[in-house]
mmCIF file of all heavy atoms in Angstrom:
data_model
loop_
_atom_site.group_PDB
_atom_site.id
_atom_site.type_symbol
_atom_site.label_atom_id
_atom_site.label_comp_id
_atom_site.label_asym_id
_atom_site.label_seq_id
_atom_site.Cartn_x
_atom_site.Cartn_y
_atom_site.Cartn_z
ATOM 1 N N THR A 17 16.022 -13.537 -11.231
ATOM 2 C CA THR A 17 16.004 -14.949 -11.706
ATOM 3 C C THR A 17 14.583 -15.445 -11.932
ATOM 4 O O THR A 17 13.638 -14.878 -11.278
ATOM 5 C CB THR A 17 16.757 -15.853 -10.707
ATOM 6 O OG1 THR A 17 15.954 -15.954 -9.519
ATOM 7 C CG2 THR A 17 18.136 -15.307 -10.414
ATOM 8 N N GLY A 18 14.460 -16.429 -12.660
ATOM 9 C CA GLY A 18 13.079 -16.949 -13.073
ATOM 10 C C GLY A 18 12.277 -15.874 -13.768
ATOM 11 O O GLY A 18 11.062 -15.791 -13.540
ATOM 12 N N ALA A 19 13.006 -15.088 -14.550
ATOM 13 C CA ALA A 19 12.385 -13.828 -15.147
ATOM 14 C C ALA A 19 11.271 -14.182 -16.171
ATOM 15 O O ALA A 19 10.477 -13.345 -16.556
ATOM 16 C CB ALA A 19 13.441 -13.033 -15.846
ATOM 17 N N CYS A 20 11.257 -15.506 -16.640
ATOM 18 C CA CYS A 20 10.218 -15.829 -17.689
ATOM 19 C C CYS A 20 8.997 -16.437 -17.067
ATOM 20 O O CYS A 20 8.025 -16.761 -17.792
ATOM 21 C CB CYS A 20 10.852 -16.767 -18.667
ATOM 22 S SG CYS A 20 12.220 -16.112 -19.562
ATOM 23 N N GLY A 21 8.974 -16.695 -15.729
ATOM 24 C CA GLY A 21 7.777 -17.302 -15.130
ATOM 25 C C GLY A 21 6.711 -16.237 -14.812
ATOM 26 O O GLY A 21 6.898 -15.011 -15.090
ATOM 27 N N GLY A 22 5.638 -16.697 -14.243
ATOM 28 C CA GLY A 22 4.537 -15.840 -13.928
ATOM 29 C C GLY A 22 4.911 -14.690 -13.048
ATOM 30 O O GLY A 22 4.625 -13.432 -13.396
ATOM 31 N N ILE A 23 5.411 -14.977 -11.961
ATOM 32 C CA ILE A 23 5.797 -13.842 -10.905
ATOM 33 C C ILE A 23 6.951 -13.113 -11.458
ATOM 34 O O ILE A 23 7.023 -11.909 -11.359
ATOM 35 C CB ILE A 23 6.023 -14.499 -9.502
ATOM 36 C CG1 ILE A 23 4.754 -15.044 -8.945
ATOM 37 C CG2 ILE A 23 6.594 -13.420 -8.632
ATOM 38 C CD1 ILE A 23 4.811 -15.737 -7.656
ATOM 39 N N GLY A 24 7.946 -13.836 -12.060
ATOM 40 C CA GLY A 24 9.171 -13.143 -12.645
ATOM 41 C C GLY A 24 8.768 -12.082 -13.611
ATOM 42 O O GLY A 24 9.360 -10.993 -13.639
ATOM 43 N N VAL A 41 17.254 -13.484 -15.939
ATOM 44 C CA VAL A 41 17.967 -14.827 -15.871
ATOM 45 C C VAL A 41 16.820 -15.969 -15.915
ATOM 46 O O VAL A 41 15.890 -15.888 -15.107
ATOM 47 C CB VAL A 41 18.785 -14.955 -14.611
ATOM 48 C CG1 VAL A 41 19.405 -16.353 -14.504
ATOM 49 C CG2 VAL A 41 19.777 -13.852 -14.497
ATOM 50 N N ASP A 42 17.023 -16.880 -16.793
ATOM 51 C CA ASP A 42 16.160 -18.039 -16.800
ATOM 52 C C ASP A 42 16.856 -19.223 -17.611
ATOM 53 O O ASP A 42 18.003 -18.974 -18.012
ATOM 54 C CB ASP A 42 14.760 -17.702 -17.357
ATOM 55 C CG ASP A 42 13.671 -18.449 -16.743
ATOM 56 O OD1 ASP A 42 13.657 -19.812 -16.797
ATOM 57 O OD2 ASP A 42 12.715 -17.964 -16.067
ATOM 58 N N LEU A 43 16.120 -20.266 -17.817
ATOM 59 C CA LEU A 43 16.714 -21.445 -18.479
ATOM 60 C C LEU A 43 16.851 -21.269 -19.965
ATOM 61 O O LEU A 43 17.869 -21.705 -20.524
ATOM 62 C CB LEU A 43 15.940 -22.671 -18.154
ATOM 63 C CG LEU A 43 16.070 -23.260 -16.645
ATOM 64 C CD1 LEU A 43 14.902 -24.238 -16.504
ATOM 65 C CD2 LEU A 43 17.390 -23.866 -16.581
ATOM 66 N N ASP A 44 15.885 -20.595 -20.589
ATOM 67 C CA ASP A 44 15.754 -20.839 -22.006
ATOM 68 C C ASP A 44 15.940 -19.450 -22.705
ATOM 69 O O ASP A 44 15.213 -18.498 -22.479
ATOM 70 C CB ASP A 44 14.342 -21.406 -22.308
ATOM 71 C CG ASP A 44 14.044 -21.503 -23.747
ATOM 72 O OD1 ASP A 44 14.693 -22.454 -24.405
ATOM 73 O OD2 ASP A 44 13.311 -20.717 -24.302
ATOM 74 N N LEU A 66 20.782 -19.533 -18.243
ATOM 75 C CA LEU A 66 21.624 -20.483 -17.557
ATOM 76 C C LEU A 66 20.822 -21.223 -16.543
ATOM 77 O O LEU A 66 19.767 -20.840 -16.151
ATOM 78 C CB LEU A 66 22.808 -19.789 -16.819
ATOM 79 C CG LEU A 66 22.541 -18.750 -15.752
ATOM 80 C CD1 LEU A 66 22.633 -19.385 -14.377
ATOM 81 C CD2 LEU A 66 23.620 -17.644 -15.901
ATOM 82 N N ASP A 67 21.368 -22.434 -16.208
ATOM 83 C CA ASP A 67 20.721 -23.220 -15.131
ATOM 84 C C ASP A 67 21.364 -22.890 -13.860
ATOM 85 O O ASP A 67 22.580 -23.070 -13.655
ATOM 86 C CB ASP A 67 21.014 -24.757 -15.500
ATOM 87 C CG ASP A 67 20.296 -25.730 -14.527
ATOM 88 O OD1 ASP A 67 19.929 -25.268 -13.393
ATOM 89 O OD2 ASP A 67 20.038 -26.841 -14.905
ATOM 90 N N LEU A 68 20.528 -22.357 -12.944
ATOM 91 C CA LEU A 68 21.021 -21.891 -11.603
ATOM 92 C C LEU A 68 21.550 -22.984 -10.743
ATOM 93 O O LEU A 68 22.137 -22.681 -9.679
ATOM 94 C CB LEU A 68 19.892 -21.136 -10.939
ATOM 95 C CG LEU A 68 19.565 -19.730 -11.539
ATOM 96 C CD1 LEU A 68 18.163 -19.311 -11.105
ATOM 97 C CD2 LEU A 68 20.621 -18.668 -11.215
ATOM 98 N N THR A 69 21.396 -24.245 -11.056
ATOM 99 C CA THR A 69 21.992 -25.305 -10.290
ATOM 100 C C THR A 69 23.416 -25.607 -10.714
ATOM 101 O O THR A 69 24.051 -26.379 -10.177
ATOM 102 C CB THR A 69 21.172 -26.604 -10.421
ATOM 103 O OG1 THR A 69 21.249 -27.076 -11.729
ATOM 104 C CG2 THR A 69 19.694 -26.383 -9.983
ATOM 105 N N ASN A 93 15.969 -13.087 -5.993
ATOM 106 C CA ASN A 93 16.026 -14.577 -6.090
ATOM 107 C C ASN A 93 14.632 -15.101 -6.218
ATOM 108 O O ASN A 93 13.943 -15.356 -5.215
ATOM 109 C CB ASN A 93 16.819 -15.141 -4.898
ATOM 110 C CG ASN A 93 18.256 -14.986 -4.973
ATOM 111 O OD1 ASN A 93 18.934 -15.366 -5.958
ATOM 112 N ND2 ASN A 93 18.833 -14.404 -3.918
ATOM 113 N N ASN A 94 14.134 -15.170 -7.468
ATOM 114 C CA ASN A 94 12.758 -15.628 -7.692
ATOM 115 C C ASN A 94 12.582 -16.951 -8.272
ATOM 116 O O ASN A 94 11.567 -17.619 -8.028
ATOM 117 C CB ASN A 94 12.159 -14.522 -8.610
ATOM 118 C CG ASN A 94 10.791 -14.939 -9.156
ATOM 119 O OD1 ASN A 94 9.798 -15.092 -8.472
ATOM 120 N ND2 ASN A 94 10.810 -15.283 -10.506
ATOM 121 N N ALA A 95 13.633 -17.447 -9.054
ATOM 122 C CA ALA A 95 13.427 -18.767 -9.718
ATOM 123 C C ALA A 95 13.133 -19.849 -8.632
ATOM 124 O O ALA A 95 13.696 -19.818 -7.564
ATOM 125 C CB ALA A 95 14.748 -19.137 -10.451
ATOM 126 N N GLY A 96 12.230 -20.681 -8.972
ATOM 127 C CA GLY A 96 11.878 -21.758 -7.989
ATOM 128 C C GLY A 96 11.250 -22.893 -8.719
ATOM 129 O O GLY A 96 10.799 -22.854 -9.862
ATOM 130 N N THR A 97 11.266 -24.057 -7.980
ATOM 131 C CA THR A 97 10.469 -25.210 -8.482
ATOM 132 C C THR A 97 9.777 -25.878 -7.341
ATOM 133 O O THR A 97 10.145 -25.591 -6.142
ATOM 134 C CB THR A 97 11.530 -26.223 -9.144
ATOM 135 O OG1 THR A 97 10.828 -27.229 -9.770
ATOM 136 C CG2 THR A 97 12.438 -26.782 -8.129
ATOM 137 N N ARG A 98 8.812 -26.691 -7.651
ATOM 138 C CA ARG A 98 8.046 -27.379 -6.580
ATOM 139 C C ARG A 98 7.607 -28.727 -6.940
ATOM 140 O O ARG A 98 7.001 -28.841 -8.101
ATOM 141 C CB ARG A 98 6.864 -26.437 -6.237
ATOM 142 C CG ARG A 98 6.139 -26.901 -4.986
ATOM 143 C CD ARG A 98 4.749 -26.362 -5.114
ATOM 144 N NE ARG A 98 4.031 -26.779 -6.379
ATOM 145 C CZ ARG A 98 2.933 -26.335 -6.830
ATOM 146 N NH1 ARG A 98 2.342 -25.398 -6.209
ATOM 147 N NH2 ARG A 98 2.482 -26.713 -7.920
ATOM 148 N N ILE A 117 17.631 -25.675 -6.387
ATOM 149 C CA ILE A 117 17.037 -24.540 -7.087
ATOM 150 C C ILE A 117 16.476 -23.489 -6.053
ATOM 151 O O ILE A 117 16.754 -22.289 -6.134
ATOM 152 C CB ILE A 117 15.916 -24.882 -8.096
ATOM 153 C CG1 ILE A 117 16.543 -25.771 -9.111
ATOM 154 C CG2 ILE A 117 15.332 -23.597 -8.711
ATOM 155 C CD1 ILE A 117 15.501 -26.423 -10.047
ATOM 156 N N ASP A 118 15.736 -23.972 -5.057
ATOM 157 C CA ASP A 118 14.997 -23.051 -4.226
ATOM 158 C C ASP A 118 15.816 -22.437 -3.081
ATOM 159 O O ASP A 118 15.439 -21.477 -2.524
ATOM 160 C CB ASP A 118 13.767 -23.783 -3.580
ATOM 161 C CG ASP A 118 12.739 -24.125 -4.653
ATOM 162 O OD1 ASP A 118 12.920 -23.695 -5.861
ATOM 163 O OD2 ASP A 118 11.673 -24.772 -4.338
ATOM 164 N N ILE A 144 12.318 -14.589 -2.952
ATOM 165 C CA ILE A 144 10.919 -14.950 -3.105
ATOM 166 C C ILE A 144 10.736 -16.328 -2.356
ATOM 167 O O ILE A 144 11.197 -17.391 -2.920
ATOM 168 C CB ILE A 144 10.409 -14.976 -4.476
ATOM 169 C CG1 ILE A 144 10.777 -13.646 -5.241
ATOM 170 C CG2 ILE A 144 8.856 -15.323 -4.559
ATOM 171 C CD1 ILE A 144 10.200 -12.427 -4.550
ATOM 172 N N ALA A 145 10.261 -16.242 -1.138
ATOM 173 C CA ALA A 145 10.024 -17.465 -0.407
ATOM 174 C C ALA A 145 8.629 -17.921 -0.685
ATOM 175 O O ALA A 145 8.150 -17.951 -1.862
ATOM 176 C CB ALA A 145 10.233 -17.179 1.076
ATOM 177 N N SER A 146 7.846 -18.313 0.395
ATOM 178 C CA SER A 146 6.459 -18.865 0.171
ATOM 179 C C SER A 146 5.917 -18.927 1.596
ATOM 180 O O SER A 146 6.593 -19.277 2.537
ATOM 181 C CB SER A 146 6.485 -20.172 -0.422
ATOM 182 O OG SER A 146 5.163 -20.798 -0.392
ATOM 183 N N MET A 147 4.545 -18.830 1.682
ATOM 184 C CA MET A 147 3.906 -19.089 2.960
ATOM 185 C C MET A 147 4.163 -20.581 3.325
ATOM 186 O O MET A 147 4.155 -20.921 4.484
ATOM 187 C CB MET A 147 2.465 -18.802 2.860
ATOM 188 C CG MET A 147 1.578 -19.700 1.993
ATOM 189 S SD MET A 147 -0.133 -19.330 2.162
ATOM 190 C CE MET A 147 -0.853 -20.502 0.872
ATOM 191 N N TYR A 159 9.920 -28.693 -0.764
ATOM 192 C CA TYR A 159 9.552 -27.254 -1.094
ATOM 193 C C TYR A 159 9.413 -26.483 0.230
ATOM 194 O O TYR A 159 9.965 -25.332 0.371
ATOM 195 C CB TYR A 159 8.267 -27.207 -1.944
ATOM 196 C CG TYR A 159 7.830 -25.842 -2.394
ATOM 197 C CD1 TYR A 159 8.542 -25.189 -3.396
ATOM 198 C CD2 TYR A 159 6.720 -25.176 -1.836
ATOM 199 C CE1 TYR A 159 8.192 -23.901 -3.797
ATOM 200 C CE2 TYR A 159 6.326 -23.953 -2.270
ATOM 201 C CZ TYR A 159 7.100 -23.283 -3.287
ATOM 202 O OH TYR A 159 6.680 -22.043 -3.688
ATOM 203 N N LYS A 163 11.945 -23.379 1.396
ATOM 204 C CA LYS A 163 11.423 -22.034 1.592
ATOM 205 C C LYS A 163 11.617 -21.543 2.991
ATOM 206 O O LYS A 163 11.903 -20.359 3.260
ATOM 207 C CB LYS A 163 9.942 -21.949 1.148
ATOM 208 C CG LYS A 163 9.808 -22.146 -0.359
ATOM 209 C CD LYS A 163 10.497 -21.094 -1.199
ATOM 210 C CE LYS A 163 10.040 -21.166 -2.683
ATOM 211 N NZ LYS A 163 10.667 -20.209 -3.543
ATOM 212 N N ALA A 188 6.888 -13.623 0.962
ATOM 213 C CA ALA A 188 6.301 -14.920 1.019
ATOM 214 C C ALA A 188 4.907 -14.949 0.497
ATOM 215 O O ALA A 188 3.954 -14.542 1.129
ATOM 216 C CB ALA A 188 6.276 -15.463 2.506
ATOM 217 N N PRO A 189 4.768 -15.281 -0.858
ATOM 218 C CA PRO A 189 3.466 -15.240 -1.457
ATOM 219 C C PRO A 189 2.571 -16.353 -0.860
ATOM 220 O O PRO A 189 3.131 -17.392 -0.545
ATOM 221 C CB PRO A 189 3.695 -15.456 -2.965
ATOM 222 C CG PRO A 189 5.180 -15.148 -3.113
ATOM 223 C CD PRO A 189 5.813 -15.577 -1.860
ATOM 224 N N GLY A 190 1.282 -16.119 -1.003
ATOM 225 C CA GLY A 190 0.330 -17.303 -0.793
ATOM 226 C C GLY A 190 0.118 -17.912 -2.158
ATOM 227 O O GLY A 190 1.104 -18.111 -2.879
ATOM 228 N N VAL A 191 -1.066 -18.298 -2.471
ATOM 229 C CA VAL A 191 -1.324 -18.888 -3.794
ATOM 230 C C VAL A 191 -1.478 -17.844 -4.871
ATOM 231 O O VAL A 191 -2.183 -16.849 -4.694
ATOM 232 C CB VAL A 191 -2.551 -19.813 -3.755
ATOM 233 C CG1 VAL A 191 -2.873 -20.384 -5.172
ATOM 234 C CG2 VAL A 191 -2.475 -20.886 -2.753
ATOM 235 N N VAL A 192 -0.674 -17.949 -5.904
ATOM 236 C CA VAL A 192 -0.606 -16.996 -7.027
ATOM 237 C C VAL A 192 -0.914 -17.686 -8.292
ATOM 238 O O VAL A 192 -0.384 -18.812 -8.562
ATOM 239 C CB VAL A 192 0.719 -16.235 -7.099
ATOM 240 C CG1 VAL A 192 0.655 -15.087 -8.069
ATOM 241 C CG2 VAL A 192 1.261 -15.811 -5.747
ATOM 242 N N GLU A 193 -1.775 -17.127 -9.183
ATOM 243 C CA GLU A 193 -2.112 -17.774 -10.407
ATOM 244 C C GLU A 193 -0.908 -17.608 -11.442
ATOM 245 O O GLU A 193 -0.722 -16.577 -12.009
ATOM 246 C CB GLU A 193 -3.365 -17.136 -11.037
ATOM 247 C CG GLU A 193 -3.927 -17.976 -12.111
ATOM 248 C CD GLU A 193 -5.367 -17.522 -12.411
ATOM 249 O OE1 GLU A 193 -5.922 -16.657 -11.765
ATOM 250 O OE2 GLU A 193 -5.936 -18.125 -13.495
ATOM 251 N N THR A 194 -0.125 -18.678 -11.600
ATOM 252 C CA THR A 194 1.027 -18.667 -12.521
ATOM 253 C C THR A 194 1.148 -20.059 -13.090
ATOM 254 O O THR A 194 0.481 -20.972 -12.690
ATOM 255 C CB THR A 194 2.359 -18.377 -11.794
ATOM 256 O OG1 THR A 194 2.719 -19.500 -11.008
ATOM 257 C CG2 THR A 194 2.293 -17.172 -10.929
ATOM 258 N N PRO A 195 2.067 -20.277 -14.119
ATOM 259 C CA PRO A 195 2.227 -21.700 -14.660
ATOM 260 C C PRO A 195 2.522 -22.676 -13.504
ATOM 261 O O PRO A 195 2.050 -23.815 -13.617
ATOM 262 C CB PRO A 195 3.407 -21.503 -15.562
ATOM 263 C CG PRO A 195 3.346 -20.051 -15.960
ATOM 264 C CD PRO A 195 2.800 -19.254 -14.852
ATOM 265 N N MET A 196 3.182 -22.294 -12.437
ATOM 266 C CA MET A 196 3.504 -23.189 -11.365
ATOM 267 C C MET A 196 2.308 -23.726 -10.714
ATOM 268 O O MET A 196 2.250 -24.862 -10.251
ATOM 269 C CB MET A 196 4.454 -22.542 -10.369
ATOM 270 C CG MET A 196 4.852 -23.408 -9.147
ATOM 271 S SD MET A 196 5.861 -22.560 -7.942
ATOM 272 C CE MET A 196 7.464 -22.856 -8.485
ATOM 273 N N THR A 197 1.262 -22.980 -10.651
ATOM 274 C CA THR A 197 0.018 -23.317 -9.914
ATOM 275 C C THR A 197 -1.190 -23.570 -10.786
ATOM 276 O O THR A 197 -2.295 -23.713 -10.347
ATOM 277 C CB THR A 197 -0.380 -22.233 -8.911
ATOM 278 O OG1 THR A 197 -0.356 -20.963 -9.628
ATOM 279 C CG2 THR A 197 0.647 -22.169 -7.754
ATOM 280 N N TYR A 200 -3.872 -26.098 -9.986
ATOM 281 C CA TYR A 200 -4.707 -25.794 -8.853
ATOM 282 C C TYR A 200 -6.148 -25.388 -9.237
ATOM 283 O O TYR A 200 -7.096 -25.835 -8.694
ATOM 284 C CB TYR A 200 -4.245 -24.593 -8.052
ATOM 285 C CG TYR A 200 -3.131 -24.828 -7.046
ATOM 286 C CD1 TYR A 200 -2.540 -23.775 -6.425
ATOM 287 C CD2 TYR A 200 -2.648 -26.140 -6.796
ATOM 288 C CE1 TYR A 200 -1.476 -23.939 -5.579
ATOM 289 C CE2 TYR A 200 -1.530 -26.304 -5.925
ATOM 290 C CZ TYR A 200 -1.028 -25.231 -5.292
ATOM 291 O OH TYR A 200 0.037 -25.370 -4.473
HETATM 292 N N1 NAD B 301 2.801 -19.442 -7.889
HETATM 293 C C1 NAD B 301 2.568 -19.472 -6.534
HETATM 294 O O1 NAD B 301 1.473 -19.746 -6.062
HETATM 295 C C2 NAD B 301 3.743 -19.220 -5.657
HETATM 296 C C3 NAD B 301 3.442 -19.188 -4.204
HETATM 297 C C4 NAD B 301 4.571 -18.975 -3.402
HETATM 298 C C5 NAD B 301 5.744 -18.770 -3.794
HETATM 299 N N2 NAD B 301 6.050 -18.858 -5.130
HETATM 300 C C6 NAD B 301 7.376 -18.726 -5.561
HETATM 301 O O2 NAD B 301 7.524 -17.661 -6.522
HETATM 302 C C7 NAD B 301 8.579 -17.878 -7.364
HETATM 303 C C8 NAD B 301 8.190 -17.884 -8.852
HETATM 304 O O3 NAD B 301 7.176 -18.787 -9.012
HETATM 305 P P1 NAD B 301 6.135 -18.806 -10.260
HETATM 306 O O4 NAD B 301 4.784 -19.150 -9.698
HETATM 307 O O5 NAD B 301 6.245 -17.575 -11.081
HETATM 308 O O6 NAD B 301 6.620 -20.086 -11.045
HETATM 309 P P2 NAD B 301 6.945 -20.290 -12.647
HETATM 310 O O7 NAD B 301 7.068 -21.775 -12.722
HETATM 311 O O8 NAD B 301 5.949 -19.541 -13.441
HETATM 312 O O9 NAD B 301 8.308 -19.613 -12.770
HETATM 313 C C9 NAD B 301 9.551 -20.049 -12.261
HETATM 314 C C10 NAD B 301 10.639 -19.692 -13.255
HETATM 315 O O10 NAD B 301 11.947 -20.235 -12.621
HETATM 316 C C11 NAD B 301 12.743 -20.754 -13.756
HETATM 317 N N3 NAD B 301 13.623 -21.713 -13.263
HETATM 318 C C12 NAD B 301 13.299 -22.904 -12.585
HETATM 319 N N4 NAD B 301 14.406 -23.689 -12.437
HETATM 320 C C13 NAD B 301 15.455 -22.858 -12.909
HETATM 321 C C14 NAD B 301 16.884 -23.094 -12.994
HETATM 322 N N5 NAD B 301 17.377 -24.277 -12.451
HETATM 323 N N6 NAD B 301 17.634 -22.125 -13.451
HETATM 324 C C15 NAD B 301 17.021 -20.953 -14.009
HETATM 325 N N7 NAD B 301 15.758 -20.795 -14.012
HETATM 326 C C16 NAD B 301 14.944 -21.649 -13.454
HETATM 327 C C17 NAD B 301 11.653 -21.411 -14.580
HETATM 328 O O11 NAD B 301 12.154 -21.623 -15.964
HETATM 329 C C18 NAD B 301 10.437 -20.330 -14.617
HETATM 330 O O12 NAD B 301 10.575 -19.398 -15.619
HETATM 331 C C19 NAD B 301 9.165 -19.340 -6.983
HETATM 332 O O13 NAD B 301 10.280 -19.244 -6.197
HETATM 333 C C20 NAD B 301 7.992 -19.922 -6.274
HETATM 334 O O14 NAD B 301 8.405 -20.942 -5.318
HETATM 335 C C21 NAD B 301 5.055 -19.067 -6.060
#
Side-chain angles (χ1 to χ4, degrees):
T17 68
C20 299
I23 294 174
V41 179
D42 212 301
L43 287 166
D44 180 71
L66 60 97
D67 184 338
L68 289 159
T69 63
N93 284 307
N94 165 69
T97 189
R98 188 202 53 190
I117 298 167
D118 291 358
I144 308 303
S146 168
M147 67 174 175
Y159 184 71
K163 294 298 189 180
V191 178
V192 189
E193 193 169 356
T194 71
M196 182 182 266
T197 49
Y200 280 172

